[in-house]
Amino acid sequence: MSGQPKDHDLQTHRPRELRKNSSYPERRLWSILRDSRLADLKFRRQVPIGQYIVDFLCIEHRLIVELDGDSHNERGEYDIRRQTILETNGYRVLRISNDDVLHHLDNVGDAILKACGIPLT
């Protein structure tokens, strides 16, 4: 009997593994996004979209929030190609640096609200 197909791995196992082993900046951002804490926006994390797994997704606003840490310094072309494909499929991608999450979390929340068209109070 053969193993599970790769699609199944992408849809369930890999996202679960990524959630379980999330970085500190991912956990910190999730602390303000989970349970609709940010202006009642519903976010999911480590969501498969096609061949990619995105960090955070607000389906209602078709907004993907991607955290960029040091590993992204080496992946510029890949990230651009990936973002182009996601945008071609109707998503908007907001890239946030780990440093901003760690040191300017309020500003990150404001940027997400702005990307969703929600006025700041």
Side-chain angles (χ1 to χ4, degrees):
M1 183 172 194
S2 65
Q4 293 289 341
K6 285 190 174 198
D7 287 347
H8 180 71
D9 183 56
L10 179 66
Q11 297 297 320
T12 58
H13 296 295
R14 183 72 178 134
R16 185 177 301 140
E17 180 181 303
L18 290 170
R19 286 189 298 269
K20 183 178 176 182
N21 297 311
S22 60
S23 68
Y24 178 70
E26 288 172 330
R27 290 191 309 271
R28 185 166 162 100
L29 182 55
W30 184 238
S31 75
I32 69 165
L33 297 179
R34 67 181 301 166
D35 302 324
S36 304
R37 291 178 183 172
L38 185 66
D40 287 330
L41 295 170
K42 173 132 178 71
F43 276 89
R44 294 173 50 206
R45 64 183 176 140
Q46 303 301 340
V47 181
I49 297 178
Q51 62 184 344
Y52 303 110
I53 299 174
V54 302
D55 291 336
F56 301 95
L57 172 65
C58 178
I59 295 171
E60 177 185 0
H61 292 277
R62 296 190 65 81
L63 177 68
I64 294 168
V65 178
E66 286 289 295
L67 282 185
D68 290 343
D70 292 336
S71 68
H72 288 268
N73 294 339
E74 313 286 319
R75 300 179 358 178
E77 285 184 36
Y78 171 82
D79 284 345
I80 291 168
R81 185 173 55 252
R82 180 179 187 266
Q83 182 168 333
T84 300
I85 291 168
L86 292 166
E87 289 172 344
T88 300
N89 285 293
Y91 294 95
R92 290 174 298 122
V93 178
L94 177 63
R95 304 197 81 81
I96 306 283
S97 74
N98 282 352
D99 188 59
D100 283 338
V101 170
L102 295 175
H103 302 290
H104 310 287
L105 191 58
D106 288 342
N107 294 342
V108 169
D110 290 348
I112 293 169
L113 293 173
K114 184 176 178 182
C116 289
I118 297 173
L120 303 177
T121 55

